[in-house]
Amino acid sequence: MHVLIILNPTSGSAKPQTIYQMRQALLAAGAEVTLYTTTAAGDATRYLQNYSAPLDVVAVAGGDGTLNEVVNGLAGHPNDSFRLALIPMGTTNVLAYELGIKRKNAIATLLNGKEKLIYPSHLNGNRFLLMAGIGYDAWVVDRVNPNLKRRMGKLAYVVSMLKQLPNFGRKLYRLRIDGTSYSAYSAIITNGRFYGGSFLLSRQANLSTNTMQVLMLNGKHMGSLLLSLLGLPFGLMEKMPGVVSVPGQQIEVEMLNSVTQEPVQADGDIRGQLPATITMETSPLRVLVP
């Protein structure tokens, strides 16, 4: 087995000693190991786009943002030519949480895990694995303070959430989901069930199907948003008043009442502006799970 480790040294809890110990454990188990340490945003994508050696296991040592860079870098390689492994080290590790992968079992999973099929989505041509957001969700990501994020981790997002509350309801979006039109004041398009870590966002979403779940917030006022967010810690957001949840394979999103640029987030980072087209891949990735 050859393991290519993509390490983001700036991820929330990445420590050289931890990676060294993991690398030694892999070598002791008979694996060949190549370690690549990223140096800047987008570096993982560029490195893998130019990677010409045979692939076996690509291990992502970082968070969901690093994972997003890796799966985009691997887009030129056939999905069945490699397996993905996760070594969770980021501020958020939503996919690792959903798959039951912890740092303490990451190496055992890499060496002895089973394969789970996961379908990526595309946002204006770029891959994402977990979710995309427009409206309030995208504003929170777009305007989170990076210095605060480095110091406080997830709490920086809470601060950004509070700051963006007064803006909710000012912009309206049209979503065309598999040919049917909807309007909403905010929306989250998700492949997985969880949001921001351990919060259960959608009971209907399934990483192993090539269908996304679209949660649309139709209430115009801040109170409607707060009510929907209140359901999030209890796994009831889809059932809250003003929330509509529908499945889809192709989603087109545009602004209805504004000409300003609107950000779109995917896997926790801003990935472009509206209008956006979001589609599913027909070929799944193979991910190693416990």
Side-chain angles (χ1 to χ4, degrees), residues 29-89:
E32 298 178 18
V33 181
T34 300
L35 174 63
Y36 181 77
T37 302
T38 63
T39 58
D43 190 30
T45 298
R46 290 187 291 269
Y47 175 76
L48 288 165
Q49 285 173 337
N50 295 313
Y51 191 86
S52 58
L55 290 170
D56 186 3
V57 176
V58 182
V60 183
D64 293 323
T66 308
L67 176 62
N68 182 280
E69 288 194 18
V70 167
V71 297
N72 275 286
L74 291 169
H77 301 268
N79 286 352
D80 60 0
S81 67
F82 61 88
R83 293 164 292 166
L84 274 177
L86 306 181
I87 304 174
M89 290 189 167

Side-chain angles (χ1 to χ4, degrees), residues 119-122 128-132 175-182 188-192 202 204-216 238 244-253 277-282:
Y119 285 84
S121 298
H122 279 251
F128 69 91
L129 284 182
L130 293 165
M131 65 183 60
L175 294 90
R176 183 175 292 274
I177 304 171
D178 292 344
T180 301
S181 290
Y182 301 83
I188 299 175
I189 299 100
T190 185
N191 292 332
S202 171
Q204 301 179 69
N206 188 336
L207 287 162
S208 294
T209 65
N210 64 338
T211 301
M212 297 167 279
Q213 199 68 26
V214 187
L215 280 71
M216 293 170 283
E238 284 179 303
V244 176
S245 180
V246 298
Q249 291 183 315
Q250 178 166 317
I251 299 100
E252 298 170 17
V253 189
T277 299
I278 303 171
T279 57
M280 295 295 300
E281 282 191 19
T282 57

Side-chain angles (χ1 to χ4, degrees), residues 2-263:
H2 180 261
V3 181
L4 171 61
I5 300 176
I6 306 295
L7 167 65
N8 180 355
T10 65
S11 286
S13 56
K15 292 181 173 62
Q17 183 64 21
T18 302
I19 292 298
Y20 174 79
Q21 292 170 350
M22 291 183 171
R23 183 175 182 273
Q24 292 302 111
L26 289 170
L27 291 171
E32 298 178 18
V33 181
T34 300
L35 174 63
Y36 181 77
T37 302
T38 63
T39 58
D43 190 30
T45 298
R46 290 187 291 269
Y47 175 76
L48 288 165
Q49 285 173 337
N50 295 313
Y51 191 86
S52 58
L55 290 170
D56 186 3
V57 176
V58 182
V60 183
D64 293 323
T66 308
L67 176 62
N68 182 280
E69 288 194 18
V70 167
V71 297
N72 275 286
L74 291 169
H77 301 268
N79 286 352
D80 60 0
S81 67
F82 61 88
R83 293 164 292 166
L84 274 177
L86 306 181
I87 304 174
M89 290 189 167
T91 303
T92 58
N93 301 282
V94 179
L95 183 61
Y97 181 88
E98 179 143 356
L99 299 178
I101 301 171
K102 302 177 181 179
R103 194 179 309 169
K104 64 182 180 181
N105 71 359
I107 296 303
T109 300
L110 192 158
L111 292 170
N112 303 305
K114 57 188 178 182
E115 293 182 8
K116 182 179 180 68
L117 301 182
I118 292 179
Y119 285 84
S121 298
H122 279 251
L123 167 63
N124 288 346
N126 294 310
R127 275 176 162 178
F128 69 91
L129 284 182
L130 293 165
M131 65 183 60
I134 61 168
Y136 177 74
D137 181 66
W139 303 339
V140 169
V141 173
D142 187 38
R143 293 155 196 177
V144 69
N145 186 305
N147 294 325
L148 201 63
K149 181 181 175 182
R150 281 192 290 270
R151 296 200 311 270
M152 300 176 60
K154 292 180 182 180
L155 287 177
Y157 288 95
V158 176
V159 174
S160 186
M161 288 175 71
L162 294 173
K163 288 183 176 180
Q164 296 309 316
L165 281 174
N167 296 322
F168 181 78
R170 296 180 180 179
K171 297 181 179 180
L172 186 63
Y173 307 89
R174 176 186 287 125
L175 294 90
R176 183 175 292 274
I177 304 171
D178 292 344
T180 301
S181 290
Y182 301 83
S183 61
Y185 291 98
S186 193
I188 299 175
I189 299 100
T190 185
N191 292 332
R193 297 184 303 149
F194 291 92
Y195 180 88
S198 59
F199 294 114
L200 181 59
L201 175 68
S202 171
R203 297 178 184 273
Q204 301 179 69
N206 188 336
L207 287 162
S208 294
T209 65
N210 64 338
T211 301
M212 297 167 279
Q213 199 68 26
V214 187
L215 280 71
M216 293 170 283
L217 278 63
N218 290 338
K220 183 177 181 179
H221 302 291
M222 187 193 305
S224 176
L225 171 63
L226 290 172
L227 186 61
S228 65
L229 293 176
L230 184 64
L232 191 56
F234 305 100
L236 298 173
M237 187 169 179
E238 284 179 303
K239 296 182 179 295
M240 301 305 286
V243 178
V244 176
S245 180
V246 298
Q249 291 183 315
Q250 178 166 317
I251 299 100
E252 298 170 17
V253 189
E254 63 181 347
M255 288 289 302
L256 280 180
N257 62 346
S258 175
V259 295
T260 61
Q261 285 195 326
E262 272 295 295

